[in-house]
Amino acid sequence: MNWYPWLNQPYRQIIARHQDGQAHHALLIQAIDGMGDDALVWGVSRWLMCQQPEGLKSCGHCHGCQLMQAHTHPDWYRLEAEKGKSSLGIDAVREVTEKLYHFAQQGGAKIVWLPDATQLTEAAANALLKTLEEPPANCWFFLSVREPSRLLATLRSRCMRWHLTPPEEMQSLQWLSRQHPQADEVLRAALRLSNGAPAAALALLQPARWQARQALCDALITALRGDILQLLPSLNGDDVADRLSWLISLLVDAMKVQQGAGNWLSNGDRPDVVAQLAQQFNSSALNESSQQWMQCREQLLHVAALNRELILTDRLLAWGRLLSPAATLG
């Protein structure tokens, strides 16, 4: 598992709490994609499972370390929805929590990690809540979450919140340039399109992903000058949420240009697309467009069994009506 330099400080802070006997038994880690919360949890878990830790580090050769390195430690539990499912039910939670009240098989700590705590059904969350209210000795919970508001308030209240904030942009750009040398405007665009998360930016810069984003930009220019439905193939993919996010960011950038804030673009590598949008839509049309595309994205993300192509086609046709001469005035 990759380790990232921006995790060093939160790792030291969490371990220090354990060394001082002040660690909370349940840590709710809030982080956006690409911040490495999985690596942070894994690193802290290795230290907790180590039988002979060396300061802030696990020793790497005790039996606990060997089991963790082999991903076979019997007292480390990963709780997540089964493949192909989106929710984590009460039975899985009960199965793990029952084991926590037994003596640890290796005689040390017991750890439960939920990579996405929002997968918990209400019943599962309530079952976990009971365990968090009266946790077994030497038992640690790590709950990763992108949107804490989607968790039960009572569950959040039993955890200590830990927010992984993105590094300073210059620090992230330096790291990105070492990992994937590119022009500064390309690296900056990838980083800003990834909300400042460096590892997510690196993933976006991989050839196939970056090509998909560039193809959407090119298709948008063509569609704005002719048939808006020409944009459909560039939006209609399994990663539709990402593609719509790219489109929304271009609309927001066009609003920035109209407000004289062109130095703060997310898509600084594609000023041609941003300028085209700023020219063809007035400020109210751009604002309405971005709101409608955000609603479309949420719909496709959270409503099951929708016909994605039909939804996108309907939205494009409605968007095309904003391209009327009246809409482009002002």
Side-chain angles (χ1 to χ4, degrees):
M1 186 175 291
N2 292 328
W3 185 261
Y4 305 109
W6 57 87
L7 297 178
N8 291 337
Q9 183 178 0
Y11 173 83
R12 288 193 294 265
Q13 292 172 334
I14 293 171
I15 298 301
R17 285 180 174 271
H18 282 277
Q19 291 175 324
D20 295 340
Q22 297 178 347
H24 197 283
H25 66 278
L27 207 58
L28 179 64
I29 302 176
Q30 179 185 354
I32 58 177
D33 288 330
M35 280 301 298
D37 53 308
D38 53 344
L40 179 62
V41 170
W42 183 249
V44 173
S45 296
R46 286 193 56 175
W47 188 87
L48 287 169
M49 291 302 198
C50 180
Q51 296 158 353
Q52 300 170 338
E54 301 170 352
L56 293 171
K57 297 182 179 180
S58 52
C59 72
H61 39 257
C62 70
H63 189 49
C65 284
Q66 291 174 351
L67 289 171
M68 288 297 288
Q69 289 167 2
H71 296 271
T72 56
H73 202 297
D75 299 316
W76 192 85
Y77 304 96
R78 177 176 174 140
L79 259 179
E80 61 184 336
E82 295 178 6
K83 189 175 181 179
K85 296 185 178 180
S86 59
S87 60
L88 178 61
I90 190 172
D91 291 340
V93 172
R94 283 176 173 168
E95 182 180 350
V96 167
T97 54
E98 285 175 5
K99 294 176 182 177
L100 299 179
Y101 290 96
H102 300 150
F103 190 71
Q105 294 188 44
Q106 293 299 310
K110 291 164 285 187
I111 296 174
V112 179
W113 179 42
L114 285 82
D116 183 2
T118 60
Q119 291 181 338
L120 290 164
T121 63
E122 185 173 352
N126 284 322
L128 180 62
L129 178 62
K130 293 179 180 178
T131 305
L132 294 183
E133 288 173 339
E134 298 181 14
N138 203 14
C139 185
W140 311 99
F141 297 84
F142 298 96
L143 290 76
S144 289
V145 66
R146 301 292 179 257
E147 301 175 50
S149 60
R150 294 178 59 197
L151 289 181
L152 288 178
T154 48
L155 191 60
R156 295 199 305 269
S157 69
R158 295 298 184 272
C159 301
M160 177 182 175
R161 180 84 63 90
W162 197 282
H163 188 200
L164 272 185
T165 56
E168 294 288 335
E169 186 173 80
M170 187 55 65
Q171 178 188 348
S172 297
L173 289 172
Q174 291 171 350
W175 180 83
L176 268 180
S177 66
R178 292 193 295 268
Q179 306 299 317
H180 194 89
Q182 287 283 347
D184 287 347
E185 63 268 20
V186 171
L187 295 178
R188 186 173 287 105
L191 186 63
R192 291 181 178 180
L193 288 170
S194 304
N195 298 309
L202 181 60
L204 175 57
L205 285 167
Q206 298 311 301
R209 295 289 297 148
W210 194 247
Q211 184 178 355
R213 182 260 179 176
Q214 294 289 59
L216 183 140
C217 290
D218 294 338
L220 179 55
I221 285 185
T222 302
L224 288 173
R225 293 171 178 167
D227 181 5
I228 199 68
L229 288 179
Q230 288 178 295
L231 189 58
L232 180 60
S234 297
L235 291 176
N236 189 19
D238 291 337
D239 58 344
V240 63
D242 290 338
R243 295 175 185 232
L244 290 178
S245 292
W246 300 339
L247 174 59
I248 293 164
S249 75
L250 288 163
L251 292 166
V252 172
D253 275 356
M255 285 189 272
K256 292 176 184 176
V257 166
Q258 291 182 348
Q259 297 299 319
N263 291 331
W264 304 98
L265 302 184
S266 296
N267 300 272
D269 64 320
R270 294 305 303 257
D272 53 333
V273 187
V274 176
Q276 185 77 18
L277 285 166
Q279 178 183 347
Q280 290 197 236
F281 292 93
N282 63 24
S283 57
S284 61
L286 282 171
N287 182 59
E288 182 180 349
S289 298
S290 62
Q291 295 293 330
Q292 290 176 351
W293 280 116
M294 280 189 273
Q295 291 171 7
C296 179
R297 184 180 182 276
E298 287 298 303
Q299 187 181 22
L300 290 171
L301 268 177
H302 301 301
V303 181
L306 288 177
N307 185 319
R308 185 175 66 213
E309 183 173 355
L310 186 61
I311 294 293
L312 290 172
T313 300
D314 181 66
R315 175 91 310 276
L316 282 169
L317 289 172
W319 193 37
R321 288 193 285 273
L322 290 177
L323 278 169
S324 66
T328 58
L329 296 176

